[in-house]
Amino acid sequence: MGTTTVLVEGESDRVAVEVLAARLGHDLTAEGVQVMPMGGATSIIHFLDRYGPNGAAHRLLGLCDEGESPGIARALSRAGIGPGSLAELGFYVCHADLEDELIRALGTDRVLDVIDEQGELASFRLLQRQPSLRDRPVTDQLRRFLGGRSGNKVRYARLLVEALPDGEAPLPLRRLVAAFAAGS
């Protein structure tokens, strides 16, 4: 069995993928799957050079934000991976970002419950009153809260994936994890 390298934009994406994979019964080590945070989508060329067809020749999968998808598609094409849509190539696209996907999958009330369980609901309510956010939709406010404080994205990635009802993971994340088994 060869190695599968899953390219994700950041550490919170890595945590979300690994937590969902474990929830679905995957042993990533045994399956030869490694999840690599790239430190941003623009770093993909370095990772394709290292793990792609001209490097270690790993099977590649990935997860990216919609805004980064054109650049990811170009980089995959330049690396000789393709043709096909990103999904056909094993790269799954989050509508805005992974936090947006998780908020939509859970619903704002459940996300607020998770924040409350962490003792941070008062902090979120304070953020909601900031002039730049007070007229924004609650989903935008939640995304700002999740990404605004150092360590929040990673911590809440785990908590929100753990809070998902069985079978209710966001589609891009669910398809990515399902692709692990498809290639083994």
Side-chain angles (χ1 to χ4, degrees), residues 122-134:
S123 178
F124 174 71
R125 296 297 184 208
L126 185 64
L127 178 129
Q128 282 185 298
R129 292 192 300 266
Q130 290 182 1
S132 63
L133 292 172
R134 73 172 59 123

Side-chain angles (χ1 to χ4, degrees), residues 23-24 164-169 174:
R23 279 190 64 184
L24 296 175
L164 290 167
D166 288 341
E168 295 298 319
R174 192 171 55 221

Side-chain angles (χ1 to χ4, degrees), residues 55-74:
H58 291 182
R59 176 176 175 246
L60 297 174
L61 299 172
L63 185 71
C64 68
D65 300 344
E66 185 176 63
E68 303 295 346
S69 63
I72 298 289
R74 281 190 303 276

Side-chain angles (χ1 to χ4, degrees), residues 9 12-13 64-68 93-112 115 120 123-125 127-128 130 132-133 136-157 160 170:
E9 291 186 34
S12 61
D13 302 311
C64 68
D65 300 344
E66 185 176 63
E68 303 295 346
V93 179
C94 295
H95 176 68
D97 55 26
L98 183 57
E99 291 76 24
D100 174 64
E101 294 284 350
L102 290 168
I103 291 166
R104 285 188 296 121
L106 283 166
T108 56
D109 290 341
R110 182 63 187 118
V111 174
L112 290 170
I115 291 170
E120 294 188 327
S123 178
F124 174 71
R125 296 297 184 208
L127 178 129
Q128 282 185 298
Q130 290 182 1
S132 63
L133 292 172
R136 306 280 307 163
V138 71
T139 54
D140 290 353
Q141 295 168 344
L142 285 167
R143 287 178 59 221
R144 173 72 165 93
F145 177 80
L146 296 174
R149 187 179 299 156
S150 179
N152 255 13
K153 280 182 85 164
V154 173
R155 183 163 60 99
Y156 277 101
L160 295 178

